[in-house]
Amino acid sequence: MSALTLIQSCQYLKDGKVIAYPTEAVFGLGCDPDNQQAVLQLLALKKRPIEKGLILIAANLKQLEPYFDKLSLTQKQIELINQPRDLATTWLVKKNINTPTWLTGQFDSIAIRISHHPLVKELCLAFTKPLVSTSANLSGQPPCRTLAEIAIQFGEQFPVLKGETGKQRNPSQIRDIMTGSIIRQG
């Protein structure tokens, strides 16, 4: 496993590479959401079908605004997305007309999350935009929670932002912002 600094991680992302990084519960795989080749590489690496769509993770709502239809949301819904929570929550919101299908898959929505993990916030702020975020694991395998597990699933040289995962037991809860319904328990 190749442990990266924050600056090195940003350069990898700018160069169109996929990296692993710690999140609230597990390590995530991430890349530049605007780089189609990087996203396709991430999907191939994970063996995940493009139709499923992906999550975008960011330091703040402003970073996510280019990807979703802000006008479709009420002020209360925007406040819900912005509200810090004990449980990491990903929100399904209506996608922006320009949001590419390599991010949304077969859906008219996009999954977005403002992370409260300090290292994720730093990474997104340094990169100046959100990241694609999906759990670091091959399809059908458990999500990686340690650097050793990343090395086992992705190889010793896989680039990883050095840091610790948060204390949550499960990946983020996913909720539909329009209905409030829980799509995935956290």
Side-chain angles (χ1 to χ4, degrees):
M1 174 244 5
S2 179
L4 303 176
T5 65
L6 192 67
I7 293 168
Q8 290 170 321
S9 297
C10 285
Q11 191 58 54
Y12 269 66
L13 294 167
K14 289 175 185 172
D15 291 344
K17 295 180 179 164
V18 176
I19 66 167
Y21 56 93
T23 70
E24 295 88 347
V26 298
F27 277 86
L29 290 180
C31 66
D32 181 346
D34 299 318
N35 184 327
Q36 183 179 11
Q37 287 309 113
V39 174
L40 294 176
Q41 178 189 353
L42 180 147
L43 291 169
L45 181 67
K46 191 170 163 81
K47 298 179 173 67
R48 179 184 174 93
I50 196 170
E51 295 79 19
K52 282 187 161 186
L54 293 160
I55 294 172
L56 294 184
I57 193 170
N60 54 54
L61 191 62
K62 185 153 186 61
Q63 290 186 327
L64 294 163
E65 285 178 2
Y67 304 93
F68 72 94
D69 180 2
K70 191 173 178 183
L71 296 176
S72 70
L73 299 176
T74 66
Q75 186 58 39
K76 185 174 180 175
Q77 289 167 328
I78 290 170
E79 288 168 10
L80 267 177
I81 295 168
N82 264 320
Q83 186 177 36
R85 298 173 174 277
D86 290 337
L87 180 65
T89 303
T90 297
W91 296 96
L92 292 179
V93 297
K94 185 177 178 187
K95 72 177 183 176
N96 181 307
I97 193 164
N98 298 318
T99 303
T101 56
W102 68 74
L103 296 175
T104 61
Q106 63 184 344
F107 303 102
D108 291 328
S109 59
I110 186 153
I112 61 171
R113 180 166 89 247
I114 297 170
S115 179
H116 299 288
H117 187 286
L119 203 49
V120 173
K121 287 180 92 73
E122 280 185 63
L123 180 59
C124 291
L125 289 171
F127 187 50
T128 70
K129 63 179 175 178
L131 303 174
V132 166
S133 184
T134 183
S135 58
N137 62 294
L138 301 173
S139 270
Q141 297 294 314
C144 296
R145 294 179 184 275
T146 66
L147 297 174
E149 290 173 353
I150 290 172
I152 290 167
Q153 287 195 43
F154 296 103
E156 291 287 334
Q157 297 307 310
F158 197 81
V160 181
L161 173 59
K162 190 175 179 181
E164 299 291 322
T165 58
K167 302 297 182 217
Q168 283 191 208
R169 296 175 51 97
N170 298 312
S172 70
Q173 177 183 80
I174 299 178
R175 297 185 72 175
D176 185 316
I177 195 69
M178 295 306 189
T179 65
S181 60
I182 296 172
I183 310 302
R184 177 179 80 187
Q185 289 290 342

